Amino acid sequence: MSDPQDAARFLLARERHSGLDNVGFLPLNGPMDVWISIMYLFLCGQSFMPHEIADALINHCAQAAREDGLQPGLTTREWEVLHMVAQGAANKNIAADLDLSIHTVKLHIHNLLRKIGVSNRTCAASWFMEHHSGQPDPHRGAHGGS
């Protein structure tokens, strides 16, 4: 896919059906040293997304969040999970850092996605970054604010 908007639409459609824990893109038009570094990331179980695609996703999710004018009422734990999702942490890392099971992390993510009105973790991360400047506010969930 050469168009970032097409790639963003692909990611959003794919996540609705199966989740995107380990999706990456290998841009074949870049320098060889960059390509090799990306391949190394893939071999280590990491992912890579060119900034054009990430920007398209963030713009799409930010627009959806602005249109919704959300007041989520997340719990303290949901704020903590959302903060880690926004930092790009995988479910297993969130579980380990917060001393939770992966099942519990998935349940928190499911609930917070519903509460903030987005369909996937990428949009949730974008929503968090736009509305909270990257800073968690665990008291918001306890008091029902946004």
Side-chain angles (χ1 to χ4, degrees), residues 15-84:
E15 182 158 336
R16 285 186 192 112
H17 296 292
S18 64
L20 287 177
D21 284 342
N22 293 316
V23 169
F25 290 88
L26 182 60
L28 299 177
N29 59 347
M32 182 61 78
D33 59 335
V34 172
W35 188 83
I36 291 170
S37 296
I38 294 167
M39 287 300 297
Y40 182 73
L41 285 173
F42 291 163
L43 291 171
C44 293
Q46 301 297 311
S47 61
F48 174 81
M49 182 182 304
H51 71 88
E52 297 90 358
I53 296 170
D55 290 347
L57 278 171
I58 289 169
N59 289 337
H60 171 82
C61 296
Q63 179 64 32
R66 278 193 299 275
E67 291 170 359
D68 290 342
L70 304 168
Q71 302 288 328
L74 300 178
T75 67
T76 299
R77 184 61 91 181
E78 287 167 346
W79 280 111
E80 292 170 341
V81 170
L82 179 55
H83 182 238
M84 294 187 74

Side-chain angles (χ1 to χ4, degrees), residues 9-21 23 113 119-121:
R9 283 190 288 277
F10 164 77
L11 283 173
L12 292 169
R14 178 162 176 200
E15 182 158 336
R16 285 186 192 112
H17 296 292
S18 64
L20 287 177
D21 284 342
V23 169
L113 291 177
S119 60
N120 58 61
R121 66 191 294 133

Side-chain angles (χ1 to χ4, degrees), residues 79 83 86 128-129 131-138 140:
W79 280 111
H83 182 238
F128 180 85
M129 297 306 285
H131 289 86
H132 302 287
S133 302
Q135 299 299 316
D137 187 355
R140 291 180 185 266

